[in-house]
Amino acid sequence: MTILAPADPASIVRGAEILREGGLVAFPTETVYGLGADATSAWAVARIYDAKGRPSFNPLIAHVAEIATAQREALLPEAAIRLAAAFWPGPLTIVAPAAPGGSVCELARAGLPSVALRIPDHPVALALISALGKPVAAPSANRSGHVSPVTAAHVAEDLSGRVEMILDGGRATAGLESTIVSFCDASPVLLRPGAIAREKIEKVLGAKLSAPARAEVMAPGMTASHYAPNARLRLEAHELQEGEAALDFGARLAALAAPGRIVLDLSPKGDLVEAAANLFAYLRQLDARGAARIAVAHIPERGLGEAINDRLRRAAAPRV
Ligand code: AMP
Ligand code: MG
């Protein structure tokens, strides 16, 4: 059931409760409608990918209400803080190395060591984020491949029955996505042109924005900076070979494992949302436990299985 409510104070409080419980709330921003979840919960973020039907885990923008929060989540260089002061709240997204102790979960970052942050310039978005008191992960509130929605009715067409609540705050005015600037390299990089013109940003920086490295544009998930386990992965495993640890799904491999074998099950009950929520943490755990080779159980190619398999295939690909 999806609650479609005018964005008054009472429904914003209800929306924050839904987010706190791991639910999904679509809300207006000045760019387009966002599909929001608690950015600190991998479970809640997995539901975003599921609701959108995304075939891969691309990193999500974490929406915050204050610059101080952004500074706790990311290591913002002085130039980034200057941009934030000039354009926030507003349609500028800043990407920077995630701060140690930051709260945005790894699934929201799609395994990257960086985090994308912005303060939206919309009273409803700000009230919702403040009421939750945590960063809100929010891509555009449409099914994957559809156009970004600028009204609550557009959101309902795509996501009715897939989200707990849609806050109707009228028409999103910019209709254009945020400009994304990254501070992960020696000089600031324009990752995506958007609602704030490059010239305006360059003026505040007093420097030109660089173009992204080509690989980054073409396939964000394939860049070396994405987390890949040290262990070698063998996908679609139906049995366990000598010395292999297991990354299981639906208790398939666990049944074959002798005692003492390392087996982590992404979802013993075979739930793909749960599996997505556990994916990055389990790959890290297997590394931490020193697994050199990992047999990965078959994961069905439906729903979130497509994105999970995409990520696992990248992790299993030979490295240079
Ligand atoms: P949107 O489509 O407006 O939700 O913006 C998401 C886009 O922000 C992604 O497709 C990336 O291009 C960019 N992005 C988000 N997080 C990161 C990150 N940690 N590092 C690099 N780019 C990011
Ligand atoms: Mg979109």
Side-chain angles (χ1 to χ4, degrees):
M1 248 298 284
T2 299
I3 306 166
L4 177 57
D8 55 33
S11 42
I12 289 171
V13 168
R14 181 76 193 104
E17 278 167 16
I18 291 170
L19 290 175
R20 199 166 292 118
E21 290 159 5
L24 300 181
V25 178
F27 61 95
T29 77
E30 82 281 30
T31 59
V32 299
Y33 269 72
L35 173 55
D38 175 352
T40 70
S41 160
W43 175 265
V45 170
R47 288 203 51 220
I48 289 185
Y49 292 108
D50 189 44
K52 282 186 69 89
R54 275 195 172 172
S56 60
F57 297 121
N58 22 3
L60 306 177
I61 296 169
H63 295 70
V64 298
E66 286 161 28
I67 291 192
T69 313
Q71 287 179 291
R72 278 198 298 277
E73 296 296 336
L75 302 174
L76 298 179
E78 184 275 330
I81 293 169
R82 244 188 305 136
L83 281 195
F87 298 110
W88 282 356
L92 170 75
T93 296
I94 293 177
V95 174
S103 70
V104 174
C105 70
E106 192 167 21
L107 187 62
R109 296 184 278 114
L112 290 167
S114 57
V115 59
L117 296 156
R118 89 176 186 98
I119 302 184
D121 187 14
H122 196 291
V124 172
L126 290 172
L128 181 69
I129 298 161
S130 299
L132 178 66
K134 296 181 197 177
V136 174
S140 55
N142 52 278
R143 292 278 292 169
S144 183
H146 294 191
V147 294
S148 299
V150 294
T151 65
H154 289 169
V155 177
E157 268 170 39
D158 258 26
L159 297 177
S160 201
R162 296 178 166 271
V163 303
E164 277 69 34
M165 187 182 222
I166 301 170
L167 287 170
D168 186 352
R171 201 176 180 83
T173 46
L176 259 185
E177 257 113 356
S178 62
T179 304
I180 306 180
V181 178
S182 165
F183 289 89
C184 295
D185 304 280
S187 63
V189 171
L190 180 64
L191 284 184
R192 178 178 77 187
I196 297 180
R198 157 201 285 274
E199 292 75 16
K200 284 191 172 177
I201 293 168
E202 291 179 338
K203 199 167 168 205
V204 173
L205 288 175
K208 294 279 179 209
L209 288 166
S210 314
R214 197 158 167 274
E216 230 172 324
V217 193
M218 293 183 54
M222 292 179 86
T223 56
S225 52
H226 267 249
Y227 181 71
N230 295 318
R232 293 266 302 279
L233 267 61
R234 186 170 65 86
L235 306 184
E236 303 288 340
H238 295 285
E239 80 300 322
L240 284 174
Q241 294 172 2
E242 189 63 36
E244 281 181 330
L247 184 63
D248 205 0
F249 178 78
R252 293 188 168 103
L253 297 173
L256 311 170
R261 193 70 85 126
I262 301 174
V263 179
L264 294 182
D265 198 329
L266 290 168
S267 174
K269 63 173 187 276
D271 177 333
L272 289 162
V273 177
E274 179 177 39
N278 286 330
L279 180 63
F280 288 106
Y282 282 14
L283 286 172
R284 280 191 197 279
Q285 273 186 45
L286 288 168
D287 263 352
R289 291 168 71 171
R293 286 180 298 126
I294 303 171
V296 183
H298 169 76
I299 293 166
E301 191 76 12
R302 64 179 151 77
L304 269 184
E306 200 181 349
I308 294 169
N309 283 322
D310 171 76
R311 194 69 194 78
L312 287 170
R313 278 192 290 268
R314 291 170 198 273
R319 268 156 257 163
V320 275

